[in-house]
Amino acid sequence: MGKVFAFHGGIHPPENKKQSTRTPIRPAPLPKRLYLPLQQHIGTSASPLVNVGDRVLKGQMIAEPVGRISASLHAPTSGTIRSIGPHPVPHASGLESDCIVIDSDGLDEWEEHQGLEDYTSLKPGALIDHIRRCGIAGMGGAGFPTDVKLHLGDDHIVNTLIINAAECEPYITADDMLMRERADEILGGIRVISHLLKPSHIIIGIEDNKSHAIRTLRTALKECELNIDIRVVPTKYPSGGERQLIQLLTGLEVPSGKIPADIGIVCQNIGTTAAIYRAVHFGEPLISRIVTVTGDAVAQPQNLEALIGTPFADLLDAAHVYEDRLYRLVMGGPMMGMTVEHDQIPVIKTTNCIIAASRDEMPPAPPEQPCIRCNMCEQVCPVTLLPQQLYWFAKGREFDKAKHHNLFDCIECGACAYVCPSSIPLVQYYRFAKSEIRTEEAEQHKADHARERFEARQARLEREQEEKEARRKARAEEAARAQKARKAEPADTPTAAPALDINALKTAAAVARTKLKKAQKALNTARESGEGDLPALEAAVAAAQGSSDQAQHALEQANSSTASGITANVDLKQLKTAAAVARTKLKKARDALKNAEDKGLEGLDKLRATVTTLEQKAEAADQAHQQAEQAATPADNTPPTDLKALKQQVSIMRTKLKKAEAALANLEGEARTQAEQALTELRQRHAAADQAFKAAEQMQIEAAAAQGVDLKKLKVDAAMARAAVTKLERALGKTEDEQERTALESQLVTARDKAEQLNTTLQQHAPD
Amino acid sequence: MSLIRMSSPHVYKSNTTSNVMRLVLIATLPGITALTVFFGWGTLIQILWAGVLALAFEATILKLRHRPPGLYLRDGSALVTALLLAVAIPPFAPWWVTAVGVFVAIVIAKQLYGGLGQNPFNPAMVAYALLLISFPVEMTRWTAPFALNGDGWPIASFVDTLGAIFGSAESLWYDSFTGATPLDELRHRGGLTTEEAWRQSQVLSVGIGAWYAVSAAWLMGGIFLLYRKIITWHAPLSMLLALMICAGMFYGFDPDNYASPFFHLGTGATMLAAFFIITDPVSSATSNRGRIIFGASIGILIFIIRTWGNYPDGVAFAVLLMNLAAPFIDLYSQPRSYGHTTANKGRGGKA
Amino acid sequence: MSTVITAILILFGLAVVFGIILGYASVRFRVEGNPIVEQIDALLPQTQCGQCGYPGCRPYAEAIANGDAINKCPPGGQSTIESLADLLDVEAIPLDAEHGEEKPKMIAFIREDECIGCTKCIQACPVDAILGAAKQMHTVITDECTGCDLCVEPCPVDCIDMIPVETTITNWKWPAPTESRNLIATDRGRGLQQEAH
Ligand code: SF4
Ligand code: SF4
Ligand code: SF4
Ligand code: SF4
């Protein structure tokens, strides 16, 4: 029996444990519906693996862990997934959070599952993975995923394994009953943990008010090969706090901001050990736990083995609650537990106790009185803080000072609030201060981040501006150069030729020119040397000249048509935007005018004038837009040419042309002349076909563009109409004046009509 | 189902401020009894008078500050203040001296600073110091203990005392019932050694017993408070020890010129101060360590003022001085918290 | 006479000596703090909304450093004013209502099926919190949005809403115990009051 140390402070609240230890643990009745919050543990929420309507079996994994610190979730019974969505969860805020809701089918049908045959032969990683898959999280208070703690052996030297069986909070007896009835499971679990962590010794810390449990454990330990030390600590709240228990059993303090493993200690709750045992030996995931249901408002306080997800109401019914007496429902102990407002809140992995308290048992706190600095809180604080100072700082929002006074070391045990003669809700002050500080830090972080982004954006804009400038300059230079070049050789191709078809034409023209040049050259050499078939060559040159001219012509034509197409397009867009902007401005001005009229502000006339001008402008813009659109529409009406056929024709001709050209190279004399004539003919036909094709394609593009613009415009108009409706609705909500209301209402009706009309048109025209 | 939502903890020790104050009042009973027995009815009358005034002032000012008077009056802190002031001033002090004192204590030193919990100075001591400076004659005219007034149990009768306080008595009447306190006597001894003064002065040689008895009574009350965990040992013990050590050192070296430590502990307001005045939680340092520093400093200051100062007893001034220093002590006397290797010092945050 | 002269000389000498010491100290121990503008900027909320009348927080920080009032930033609200007052050692004054009121935290939300992809909001957003390309649907990156409101106005179809940041169990804060408990005994909760559900 080792030495037991002491920690500072502590209190002795009335225990109220006897009530719930009279009867053995009883399985709770199977609930009809279970609510399983996705986050029952510290860390990231689990992510659902099932869909609404799926049938799940008992023990089937229904949500998987996300990231390292997370835990999986299993169906506690068989049934169908009813929904996945927000439901009230046990949380101090009383807010809702995502839950998987299962309608149980009453069969309680297990999924195929089996334990590990011999876990000692497994690699530690595999064993821990198995435990992770079973969704085990600390069952004492915080719900820290157990597998993470079991991995601690990897980067820490673990000397001591502490099993926390202190259960220092009043009322709770879940661990006590577990020890009395399932000591073998506990030992089995300890064996597994000890196999993983290889500590040099193991201590079970237990308060001296659980003599029955101590006896049972001692008997069980007699046959155990492990070096387990049961240490009985005096009953004093909060000896079950992890850090306090460590101090009690080892005399060491866990440094502030560190974890016990940093000083070679790992702490596990006794309930968790049993869960590990079941997971390893039977392959059962964590789907149920022992819950103490107690308090003056239940007739039969007792410990129930409840499925995770069981609504509190079911458990309260099982313990025969007196509805009329129930005043406060607490999950957890009276010192650190949280109140729940809703009896459909489910049992989660950390629910060790439900106290249904009557008003006499937990009366509303008396009003807060001024702190008289009596120092009683300091006497009991297990962390040796100065609660009275922390209170002043929290109340005065002097968070820097509170932090300096180690606010974040406060374990929120409530001992200080328990003794405070002025009934100050000290713990709430600390929680408030802590969350304020955390938010402030997060906000600071966000602000810094925003500043970075802002500055980055600023820099980018500057850079872009510079680049634009540079590009503009480059373009200007280019243009100047091009101008010069054009002056020097007027026959040169114009520079602006963005479209692909134009490119093709251009290439064709260039090819024709090159050919012409070659032919000319050949002719010249022939003339010089006086050899060869001069007239034939001359004819060839003339033909080449013709085709080149033609190509050039085609190119120019195409160019101009595209250019006009583009300008038309651009114009239309600009006009549209201008019209939209004008409309918006008009609307805004009208709003302003109305506002001004309401308030009888000065400058009304001016505003009116503005509105009129704007109205005119908007009209003009609209008209311009519509005209432009109409101008663009005819393209729409041209019957679409059979583009495919045209294209085919062109490519056939091109092939023929190529073949002919190849043949030409091999031919001599007269045959060649003939061939050349044929070739020229071919070329002409090809060029014509090509041109027809290109023209058709162009038309198609234009038509498509017009159509697209139309659609877009429709969409914009519809959106704007909708916006107008909302705006009007909002305005309507704000005004109270009768007259105005009627006016607005009539406007609203028109606006709605318009919006609807536009919407229907839009739907008709929508591409699919 | 509509249940309530609250922050934990959900249970409380039934231990209210008014309970604390009630226990303090109970703890003063031995002292009051001793004072009445040895110095006559004056103390009792003063306590009643001061108590009534204190409640009246407190209620009025709470009304003016728009606070519910019922709730605040029930905490009993005004009564405690009035009581401490009443036992500190001479039993025959005229009614208006008490009235001024209570007014200063409750209205100025307490409520104007924001009420209970906000006052930087001990209200009773503020009032006492002010009275001492303003009305030196009335404030130094202590009742002589019964032992000096003749045979039997010759204290002034209740009616006479009432008359002396609320009317005015002949100076001759005063003379027959009042006298210097032992501390006065020792201070104004001329060139005599302690030893000689002791022999010459009746107050010292005969009357001192009454003073010791009263001190013992206060000590009893203090032990009761310690037992009931209303106060902690830190401030009283350190104050008494510091006073004893200072006095002991000087007495050891020069018994002719300095009084014995026992004399220091047993006379004046030493015991009253140690258990009832410096333990006033509001105006003292707040941590255990801080209270040790606070108490010890008061002990030393009391010795210094008694020995070399202008006033015979230095409790009020010592307490006020240290009240002033309490926030500073608080800053530098934080305990070492769990998980920290050293205690944090200073105020933290941006300097 | 000579005593007077000696006295003057001594005083003068002392003045010189202390002057030298002080001068040295001021050079030697100069606090190499952040320039004040940086410090002010660090306290501003960086919403970049321009409600203060400056094109962003930094310009306002510069203006404050040059003596502008510290109460022009509504997003920062009273707490920012207080920390500024603390930093600059001036009186904390209430927020200047002319620049707006302190509002709960908001973020922008684009009703995506109404967005016409005009990119106007992208151009307005000071922290690049809007994602989208021309003619494509746009969306707000909630984590980056500072709630500055600047994108709402430019939207031609009014499809951007500012919605208050929703409280979930992850960002829920413990409220301070209610003041009323200080005064009157009620049978309300200990601090937290019941909310209607
Ligand atoms: S117990 Fe309460 S009244 Fe006493 S010092 Fe602490 S907070 Fe103040
Ligand atoms: S709640 Fe915090 S301050 Fe209060 S006793 Fe517990 S640890 Fe100390
Ligand atoms: S008002 Fe505040 S948040 Fe907005 S730009 Fe100015 S300083 Fe930044
Ligand atoms: S998305 Fe809108 S509200 Fe959010 S930061 Fe950008 S501009 Fe401001």
Side-chain angles (χ1 to χ4, degrees):
Chain A
M1 187 112 262
K3 182 172 156 42
V4 171
F5 299 81
F7 63 89
H8 180 264
I11 52 172
H12 298 96
E15 287 178 16
N16 284 313
K17 294 202 184 223
K18 294 262 171 337
Q19 302 92 308
S20 52
T21 53
R22 285 190 210 113
T23 49
I25 303 172
R26 198 165 67 91
L30 187 71
K32 284 210 177 57
R33 189 168 292 163
L34 296 107
Y35 304 90
L36 295 132
L38 288 174
Q39 179 149 34
Q40 308 192 1
H41 49 267
I42 285 184
T44 343
S45 311
S47 112
L49 292 173
V50 288
N51 294 314
V52 174
D54 287 1
R55 178 173 148 82
V56 290
L57 293 178
K58 181 172 185 153
Q60 181 184 337
M61 192 191 283
I62 53 173
E64 61 180 353
V66 180
R68 188 163 136 80
I69 302 185
S70 186
S72 53
L73 200 57
H74 301 77
T77 185
S78 58
T80 40
I81 306 290
R82 179 190 169 85
S83 63
I84 301 176
H87 181 82
V89 292
H91 189 269
S93 62
L95 290 171
E96 304 193 337
S97 177
D98 283 348
C99 295
I100 298 179
V101 185
I102 299 180
D103 275 336
S104 77
D105 56 10
L107 303 174
D108 210 22
E109 185 182 338
W110 266 100
E111 192 194 39
E112 189 99 3
H113 64 288
Q114 62 187 33
L116 303 173
E117 299 242 309
D118 177 16
Y119 65 84
T120 45
S121 63
L122 277 178
K123 280 217 192 75
L127 180 52
I128 295 174
D129 266 355
H130 177 79
I131 292 171
R132 178 177 166 99
R133 267 198 310 281
C134 287
I136 297 178
M139 292 163 77
F144 195 80
T146 302
D147 55 293
V148 183
K149 270 189 172 178
L150 295 178
H151 263 303
L152 285 171
D154 302 352
D155 41 8
H156 293 84
I157 301 167
V158 178
N159 293 321
T160 312
L161 171 65
I162 290 180
I163 305 296
N164 188 346
E167 200 165 56
C168 60
E169 278 235 34
Y171 288 95
I172 311 177
T173 54
D175 288 350
D176 188 4
M177 293 307 287
L178 182 78
M179 286 185 278
R180 292 189 198 187
E181 298 187 13
R182 303 183 190 169
D184 48 333
E185 290 189 9
I186 292 171
L187 289 185
I190 295 177
R191 254 184 223 117
V192 176
I193 303 173
S194 141
H195 166 70
L196 283 168
L197 293 175
K198 310 240 173 333
S200 51
H201 70 302
I202 304 166
I203 311 174
I204 301 180
I206 184 165
E207 273 190 348
D208 59 8
N209 58 0
K210 301 181 201 26
S211 38
H212 188 147
I214 297 171
R215 248 180 296 136
T216 330
L217 274 187
R218 287 232 166 96
T219 336
L221 270 184
K222 283 208 182 97
E223 293 118 44
C224 182
E225 76 291 352
L226 285 171
N227 171 22
I228 300 180
D229 192 1
I230 296 186
R231 267 198 225 159
V232 181
V233 300
T235 301
K236 178 162 91 166
Y237 178 83
S239 61
E242 186 177 67
R243 287 165 191 244
Q244 277 61 45
L245 189 65
I246 288 173
Q247 193 175 19
L248 272 175
L249 298 181
T250 65
L252 297 174
E253 290 179 16
V254 182
S256 170
K258 296 268 175 64
I259 56 168
D262 290 327
I263 55 169
I265 297 172
V266 169
C267 227
Q268 288 285 3
N269 177 269
I270 197 126
T272 319
T273 60
I276 291 176
Y277 171 83
R278 299 192 77 78
V280 170
H281 287 265
F282 307 119
E284 287 178 15
L286 178 50
I287 51 169
S288 70
R289 66 155 300 142
I290 299 173
V291 182
T292 309
V293 183
T294 182
D296 275 1
V298 293
Q300 298 166 4
Q302 58 186 311
N303 279 280
L304 292 168
E305 170 133 32
L307 296 179
I308 307 289
T310 310
F312 284 3
D314 290 36
L315 296 185
L316 290 176
D317 283 345
H320 300 284
V321 67
Y322 304 115
E323 290 278 356
D324 49 338
R325 265 208 230 162
L326 182 57
Y327 173 67
R328 185 183 331 203
L329 194 53
V330 177
M331 177 186 128
M335 298 303 296
M336 291 178 80
M338 61 184 94
T339 49
V340 296
E341 289 158 276
H342 200 293
D343 65 359
Q344 286 304 311
I345 282 178
V347 167
I348 59 172
K349 291 175 184 173
T350 55
T351 308
N352 46 10
C353 182
I354 300 171
I355 307 174
S358 65
R359 197 184 168 100
D360 293 336
E361 193 176 15
M362 292 186 184
E368 175 181 338
Q369 277 168 300
C371 167
I372 52 170
R373 299 170 80 73
C374 66
N375 189 334
M376 286 182 189
C377 47
E378 183 194 351
Q379 310 298 331
V380 299
C381 176
V383 192
T384 332
L385 301 171
L386 292 178
Q388 69 274 51
Q389 298 288 79
L390 290 176
Y391 156 68
W392 278 109
F393 298 143
K395 188 171 179 156
R397 306 186 63 100
E398 294 175 285
F399 298 133
D400 290 338
K401 291 184 191 165
K403 247 168 47 185
H404 184 75
H405 278 68
N406 301 329
L407 172 65
F408 279 93
D409 286 309
C410 166
I411 57 169
E412 298 176 12
C413 68
C416 50
Y418 178 76
V419 295
C420 177
S422 292
S423 327
I424 302 172
L426 292 165
V427 177
Q428 200 189 337
Y429 275 105
Y430 307 148
R431 287 179 170 151
F432 156 72
K434 282 182 183 177
S435 49
E436 281 300 302
I437 293 173
R438 287 204 194 101
T439 340
E440 228 166 66
E441 273 166 5
E443 257 166 30
Q444 189 59 44
H445 189 255
K446 189 163 181 190
D448 289 342
H449 187 67
R451 180 185 313 114
E452 261 166 44
R453 286 182 74 89
F454 179 62
E455 278 162 8
R457 180 189 153 90
Q458 225 60 351
R460 196 194 72 221
L461 287 183
E462 226 158 78
R463 206 176 51 236
E464 274 175 5
Q465 194 63 37
E466 270 164 25
E467 269 167 18
K468 219 192 244 168
E469 193 73 3
R471 244 180 294 139
R472 203 182 54 78
K473 252 190 215 152
R475 248 201 323 269
E477 273 165 27
E478 184 96 343
R481 227 183 300 129
Q483 199 122 35
K484 249 190 241 159
R486 205 167 333 161
K487 254 181 215 154
E489 198 190 340
D492 213 359
T493 349
T495 23
L500 198 79
D501 47 337
I502 296 182
N503 274 344
L505 274 176
K506 219 162 97 188
T507 334
V511 169
R513 260 200 319 274
T514 330
K515 272 194 193 141
L516 175 61
K517 261 185 208 153
K518 267 190 198 153
Q520 263 168 353
K521 229 183 179 171
L523 184 58
N524 286 350
T525 12
R527 268 201 198 122
E528 265 163 46
S529 59
E531 278 172 18
D533 193 352
L534 269 180
L537 270 176
E538 265 165 7
V541 169
Q545 180 83 50
S547 82
S548 165
D549 281 355
Q550 222 164 8
Q552 187 67 34
H553 186 69
L555 176 64
E556 260 155 23
Q557 222 173 6
N559 255 339
S560 64
S561 82
T562 325
S564 75
I566 287 172
T567 28
N569 253 359
V570 165
D571 253 351
L572 205 59
K573 225 187 245 169
Q574 269 171 0
L575 275 171
K576 189 186 67 178
T577 327
V581 168
R583 267 197 304 263
T584 324
K585 266 196 198 153
L586 175 61
K587 217 180 283 163
K588 276 182 194 159
R590 271 197 199 129
D591 280 353
L593 179 62
K594 200 175 298 137
N595 256 346
E597 270 170 354
D598 288 351
K599 291 183 190 153
L601 280 183
E602 288 168 36
L604 218 69
D605 293 341
K606 229 164 83 188
L607 262 174
R608 279 217 185 97
T610 327
V611 172
T612 333
T613 343
L614 278 172
E615 256 162 14
Q616 282 161 1
K617 266 196 201 156
E619 235 157 71
D622 262 345
Q623 259 169 17
H625 178 206
Q626 267 151 23
Q627 274 168 9
E629 231 173 35
Q630 272 160 11
T633 340
D636 232 1
N637 303 339
T638 14
T641 334
D642 196 352
L643 265 182
K644 232 188 198 165
L646 267 175
K647 206 171 167 185
Q648 248 169 14
Q649 221 177 317
V650 172
S651 62
I652 290 167
M653 270 182 212
R654 205 185 294 134
T655 332
K656 269 191 195 158
L657 195 59
K658 260 191 206 146
K659 268 189 196 151
E661 269 171 351
L664 184 63
N666 299 333
L667 280 176
E668 293 278 313
E670 221 194 303
R672 189 182 165 122
T673 331
Q674 271 174 10
E676 258 169 11
Q677 269 165 2
L679 183 60
T680 323
E681 225 175 54
L682 254 180
R683 269 195 195 126
Q684 276 164 359
R685 263 166 50 200
H686 171 234
D690 209 355
Q691 217 172 326
F693 166 58
K694 301 258 150 82
E697 206 176 39
Q698 185 59 38
M699 233 137 75
Q700 180 89 353
I701 288 169
E702 266 175 27
Q707 176 120 33
V709 164
D710 211 13
L711 245 177
K712 195 105 242 192
K713 186 203 168 277
L714 255 177
K715 205 173 147 193
V716 173
D717 278 351
M720 279 185 178
R722 270 200 302 273
V725 171
T726 27
K727 266 186 191 158
L728 274 170
E729 273 169 353
R730 239 181 269 155
L732 195 59
K734 274 185 206 150
T735 45
E736 263 140 41
D737 188 11
E738 249 328 295
Q739 261 185 347
E740 224 169 272
R741 274 185 85 92
T742 33
L744 274 173
E745 261 157 23
S746 66
Q747 272 181 39
L748 186 60
V749 172
T750 351
R752 270 207 192 117
D753 282 354
K754 196 177 158 204
E756 224 153 83
Q757 217 176 332
L758 278 167
N759 258 345
T760 35
T761 342
L762 182 61
Q763 262 146 28
Q764 279 162 5
H765 282 75
D768 34 79
Chain B
M1 170 150 323
S2 124
L3 298 162
I4 58 169
R5 178 146 62 92
M6 312 181 167
S7 169
S8 66
H10 305 289
V11 288
Y12 300 92
K13 197 171 175 177
S14 49
N15 172 24
T16 57
T17 312
S18 45
N19 246 337
V20 171
M21 295 295 173
R22 194 172 314 131
L23 283 173
V24 172
L25 291 181
I26 291 172
T28 55
L29 286 182
I32 295 171
T33 318
L35 275 174
T36 311
V37 168
F38 295 113
F39 295 92
W41 297 102
T43 310
L44 264 189
I45 297 171
Q46 295 289 7
I47 289 173
L48 287 178
W49 172 228
V52 170
L53 280 178
L55 290 181
F57 283 138
E58 179 112 329
T60 317
I61 205 101
L62 283 171
K63 263 260 130 63
L64 290 179
R65 290 178 64 210
H66 302 293
R67 299 288 198 282
L71 175 70
Y72 280 77
L73 280 184
R74 241 178 289 137
D75 67 28
S77 61
L79 274 185
V80 171
T81 302
L83 190 138
L84 292 179
L85 179 67
V87 297
I89 60 179
F92 287 158
W95 62 271
W96 49 269
V97 168
T98 318
V100 170
V102 173
F103 179 81
V104 170
I106 299 293
V107 177
I108 294 178
K110 183 174 161 196
Q111 292 292 353
L112 286 194
Y113 279 105
L116 180 63
Q118 309 275 354
N119 45 306
F121 298 105
N122 186 326
M125 288 301 106
V126 172
Y128 182 83
L130 187 110
L131 293 179
L132 191 59
I133 295 166
S134 318
F135 314 111
V137 179
E138 285 80 3
M139 289 298 288
T140 47
R141 198 161 53 192
W142 253 92
T143 319
F146 71 95
L148 303 183
N149 297 343
D151 302 329
W153 201 265
I155 51 168
S157 73
F158 183 79
V159 180
D160 279 354
T161 316
L162 211 60
I165 294 174
F166 286 94
S168 69
E170 318 259 308
S171 63
L172 209 83
W173 185 88
Y174 276 127
D175 287 347
S176 61
F177 284 106
T178 61
T181 62
L183 281 169
D184 280 330
E185 204 64 13
L186 206 64
R187 153 166 298 282
H188 301 295
R189 62 191 160 181
L192 303 176
T193 62
T194 312
E195 191 58 41
E196 287 162 350
W198 203 269
R199 244 180 290 115
Q200 280 201 354
S201 162
Q202 279 240 304
V203 175
L204 290 179
S205 51
V206 184
I208 193 79
W211 291 96
Y212 284 165
V214 170
S215 285
W218 289 129
L219 177 64
M220 269 170 61
I223 290 171
F224 171 73
L225 288 182
L226 278 174
Y227 170 73
R228 295 300 304 261
K229 295 214 167 88
I230 299 299
I231 59 174
T232 58
W233 54 266
H234 305 83
L237 198 70
S238 58
M239 175 193 139
L240 295 179
L241 272 181
L243 183 60
M244 235 165 81
I245 290 170
C246 286
M249 269 182 354
F250 282 90
Y251 184 69
F253 283 119
D254 189 357
D256 283 351
N257 275 320
Y258 298 99
S260 75
F262 188 67
F263 176 79
H264 274 291
L265 292 188
T267 58
T270 308
M271 286 296 167
L272 177 67
F275 293 101
F276 292 90
I277 291 175
I278 72 168
T279 51
D280 164 40
V282 178
S283 55
S284 82
T286 188
S287 65
N288 290 343
R289 272 206 223 190
R291 289 195 172 166
I292 293 179
I293 302 173
F294 181 78
S297 314
I298 288 180
I300 296 170
L301 280 175
I302 289 178
F303 179 75
I304 291 175
I305 297 175
R306 279 186 182 173
T307 314
W308 296 289
N310 256 335
Y311 288 93
D313 202 351
V315 168
F317 297 108
V319 169
L320 290 179
L321 265 177
M322 289 320 290
N323 283 167
L324 206 60
F328 185 74
I329 295 175
D330 281 344
L331 290 186
Y332 289 91
S333 61
Q334 278 187 52
R336 183 190 69 86
S337 301
Y338 180 102
H340 291 259
T341 42
T342 52
N344 290 342
K345 297 254 173 348
R347 46 197 218 107
K350 283 169 261 143
Chain C
M1 195 57 202
S2 68
T3 41
V4 174
I5 289 171
T6 341
I8 289 174
L9 277 182
I10 288 173
L11 280 181
F12 185 73
L14 280 176
V16 168
V17 170
F18 282 119
I20 290 170
I21 292 174
L22 284 179
Y24 173 76
S26 75
V27 175
R28 176 77 178 69
F29 301 110
R30 186 177 21 222
V31 201
E32 294 283 350
N34 269 347
I36 191 76
V37 174
E38 297 282 319
Q39 290 183 39
I40 298 173
D41 196 29
L43 293 179
L44 292 174
Q46 304 300 330
T47 307
Q48 317 290 5
C49 64
Q51 289 182 65
C52 51
Y54 295 93
C57 299
R58 180 140 189 126
Y60 181 43
E62 278 157 15
I64 292 178
N66 293 329
D68 200 350
I70 58 171
N71 62 346
K72 296 186 174 176
C73 172
Q78 203 57 35
S79 62
T80 298
I81 295 176
E82 263 152 33
S83 35
L84 282 174
D86 222 29
L87 173 72
L88 303 171
D89 211 8
V90 293
E91 194 80 22
I93 35 180
L95 185 68
D96 189 348
E98 214 175 275
H99 293 271
E101 291 154 24
E102 195 171 348
K103 278 186 237 134
K105 271 216 148 276
M106 304 272 222
I107 52 168
F109 173 76
I110 297 182
R111 291 197 300 277
E112 287 168 356
D113 47 346
E114 288 171 37
C115 170
I116 54 167
C118 70
T119 75
K120 288 208 166 61
C121 51
I122 296 195
Q123 289 156 31
C125 178
V127 291
D128 282 340
I130 301 180
L131 217 58
K135 299 205 201 127
Q136 306 290 315
M137 171 263 275
H138 286 38
T139 192
V140 175
I141 315 173
T142 12
D143 281 351
E144 308 287 5
C145 174
T146 63
C148 69
D149 235 19
L150 290 180
C151 51
V152 174
E153 198 59 5
C155 178
V157 291
D158 213 9
C159 73
I160 306 183
D161 290 322
M162 296 305 292
I163 50 173
V165 180
E166 205 190 332
T167 334
T168 62
I169 56 172
T170 32
N171 66 3
W172 176 79
K173 296 196 292 183
W174 274 97
T178 42
E179 269 313 303
S180 65
R181 274 203 57 215
N182 287 337
L183 299 179
I184 310 147
T186 63
D187 30 2
R188 277 282 168 72
R190 189 172 173 89
L192 292 164
Q193 297 195 356
Q194 263 208 250
E195 280 155 301
H197 260 277

